[in-house]
C-alpha cells in the first residue's frame, strides 16, 4: 500500500520533470578529522555519473542524484621495525549524494549552489591489519555525510564546481575520540542533452 501511495505521489513530479544525465569527476583532498596529529591528507579523485531532475518551469531548481567511485583516506607516520615510515590508510568508496541545486537565474551560463546528504559504501581498504592495530578497528562499511557546493555552468552543459563534504559517522569506533571523514573537491561535470 505504501509503495502504491509513493508511486502515485511521484507520477506528477516525474511526468512534469525533464531528466538529463551526465558524467562528473573531481580532484580531491580527503582526510579523517581528529584521528592523530601526524597524519597527512590523501590527494586523489573521483569519477561518476549524475542525473538532473528539473523541479520548476524556469530551469532554476533541480534535484541532482549522483553515484561516484571515490578514492579517500590519508597517510600516517608509524614505526615499523624501529624505522619511521608513512603508512597509506586508503579507503575507496561508492558515494551516493543527492543534491538540491539552485541556479542564481534562468540564464544559460550562470552560477549555482547545492547542498545535500551523501551515503558512502566502503568497497576497498588498504593495509587492513595495520589499520586495525593503529586505530583499534577497521573503518565502518557505511559513512553518512553532508555536502555543500558552489559552481558555474556554461550553457547548462559544462560545469565547474567546488564542494566540501563532512561526515557524521565515527569511522573508527574503537579509537579513543570521535572522528569523521572530510573532503574538499574541485570538479567538472558534463551534462548530455
Amino acid at each position: 500500500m505504501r509503495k502504491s501511495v509513493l508511486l502515485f505521489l511521484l507520477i506528477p513530479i516525474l511526468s512534469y520533470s525533464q531528466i538529463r544525465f551526465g558524467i562528473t569527476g573531481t580532484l580531491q583532498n580527503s582526510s579523517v578529522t581528529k584521528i592523530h596529529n601526524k597524519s597527512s591528507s590523501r590527494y586523489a579523485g573521483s569519477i561518476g555519473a549524475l542525473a538532473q531532475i528539473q523541479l520548476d518551469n524556469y530551469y532554476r531548481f533541480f534535484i541532482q542524484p549522483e553515484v561516484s567511485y571515490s578514492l579517500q583516506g590519508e597517510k600516517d607516520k608509524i614505526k615499523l621495525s624501529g624505522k619511521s615510515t608513512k603508512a597509506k590508510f586508503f579507503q575507496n568508496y561508492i558515494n551516493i549524494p543527492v543534491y538540491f541545486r539552485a541556479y542564481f537565474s534562468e540564464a544559460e551560463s550562470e552560477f549555482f549552489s547545492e547542498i545535500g546528504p551523501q551515503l558512502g559504501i566502503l568497497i576497498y581498504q588498504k593495509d587492513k591489519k595495520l589499520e586495525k592495530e593503529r586505530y583499534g578497528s577497521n573503518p565502518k562499511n557505511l559513512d553518512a555525510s553532508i555536502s555543500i557546493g558552489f559552481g558555474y555552468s556554461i550553457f547548462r552543459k559544462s560545469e565547474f564546481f567546488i564542494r566540501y563534504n563532512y561526515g557524521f559517522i565515527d569511522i573508527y569506533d574503537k579509537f579513543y575520540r570521535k572522528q569523521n571523514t572530510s573532503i574538499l573537491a574541485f570538479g567538472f561535470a558534463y551534462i548530455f542533452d
Side-chain angles (χ1 to χ4, degrees):
M1 177 68 183
R2 284 186 222 160
K3 290 180 182 176
S4 302
V5 171
L6 182 61
L7 184 60
F8 178 75
L9 293 172
L10 285 176
I11 285 173
I13 294 170
L14 294 176
S15 62
Y16 164 77
S17 300
Q18 290 185 7
I19 301 176
R20 300 169 64 202
F21 298 94
I23 55 173
T24 184
T26 67
L27 295 175
Q28 59 193 28
N29 175 321
S30 69
S31 62
V32 179
T33 64
K34 300 180 182 175
I35 193 75
H36 34 61
N37 296 327
K38 298 178 180 178
S39 68
S40 59
S41 302
R42 180 183 187 186
Y43 292 92
S46 72
I47 188 165
L50 63 87
Q52 270 196 350
I53 304 167
Q54 182 183 333
L55 297 179
D56 69 333
N57 281 328
Y58 305 104
Y59 302 98
R60 290 189 60 194
F61 302 109
F62 294 83
I63 295 293
Q64 183 168 302
E66 298 182 8
V67 61
S68 65
Y69 184 78
S70 179
L71 307 177
Q72 297 172 210
E74 61 181 9
K75 302 170 188 173
D76 186 17
K77 284 186 179 176
I78 62 169
K79 284 197 174 181
L80 284 176
S81 305
K83 291 183 178 181
S84 183
T85 185
K86 270 205 171 179
K88 296 177 179 178
F89 296 121
F90 291 171
Q91 300 96 36
N92 298 349
Y93 286 82
I94 295 291
N95 286 332
I96 307 166
V98 179
Y99 293 102
F100 171 74
R101 175 176 286 198
Y103 291 88
F104 291 8
S105 77
E106 300 168 38
E108 285 190 341
S109 296
E110 182 57 278
F111 289 99
F112 62 85
S113 60
E114 58 190 6
I115 189 169
Q118 175 175 282
L119 176 68
I121 303 165
L122 180 66
I123 59 167
Y124 171 79
Q125 177 188 347
K126 184 178 176 67
D127 289 334
K128 287 185 182 182
K129 186 177 177 184
L130 192 60
E131 200 160 15
K132 189 169 184 179
E133 287 174 8
R134 181 71 170 169
Y135 306 130
S137 66
N138 284 310
K140 292 181 180 172
N141 290 327
L142 291 178
D143 186 28
S145 55
I146 186 80
S147 185
I148 188 166
F150 179 79
Y152 187 76
S153 180
I154 302 170
F155 301 119
R156 301 290 177 104
K157 292 182 73 65
S158 299
E159 299 189 332
F160 299 88
F161 57 84
I162 181 171
R163 290 174 178 164
Y164 179 70
N165 187 280
Y166 185 79
F168 293 117
I169 291 181
D170 195 3
I171 296 299
Y172 298 99
D173 56 2
K174 293 187 179 175
F175 195 66
Y176 71 95
R177 57 182 173 180
K178 192 175 188 297
Q179 17 47 50
N180 318 81
T181 55
S182 175
I183 302 170
L184 179 64
F186 299 90
F188 172 78
Y190 184 81
I191 300 167
F192 304 108
D193 285 332

